[in-house]
Amino acid sequence: MKRKKETQNDWDDGRVVAPMDGVGGRRAERRERIELSKEERKKITRAMFAVMLPRLLIVLLGFGIATCLVLLWLT
């Protein structure tokens, strides 16, 4: 039996363009954790929900309108 010749692809010469030792890993600098009291944490959480609630309602309204249009189209 003949043995197949091992050939290396011309486009792969083993060089690395970018270091791959920490892709998607930790950052070099770590930010310090901010200590918050329970009141501050509650206020931040309420503010977040106050900002996100209108956006959620707009998305739900859009799905509702699309559903109504599809139902009108199919009937």
Side-chain angles (χ1 to χ4, degrees):
M1 293 182 126
K2 277 189 173 180
R3 191 171 189 191
K4 264 189 173 178
K5 290 184 181 179
E6 292 184 26
T7 59
Q8 185 179 9
N9 294 335
D10 291 335
W11 56 268
D12 185 14
D13 58 1
R15 289 185 285 177
V16 177
V17 176
M20 298 293 173
D21 56 348
V23 177
R26 299 181 213 142
R27 290 184 179 178
E29 300 175 14
R30 289 210 174 222
R31 294 186 181 181
E32 294 181 21
R33 187 176 175 118
I34 301 171
E35 297 295 325
L36 299 173
S37 66
K38 285 187 177 183
E39 280 185 33
E40 290 172 332
R41 193 175 307 269
K42 286 181 183 179
K43 286 181 182 180
I44 290 172
T45 304
R46 289 186 74 172
M48 181 192 64
F49 279 114
V51 169
M52 296 303 288
L53 185 62
R55 295 176 185 176
L56 175 66
L57 293 176
I58 289 171
V59 169
L60 291 176
L61 182 67
F63 277 115
I65 290 172
T67 303
C68 289
L69 289 174
V70 167
L71 289 175
L72 287 173
W73 178 44
L74 292 176
T75 57

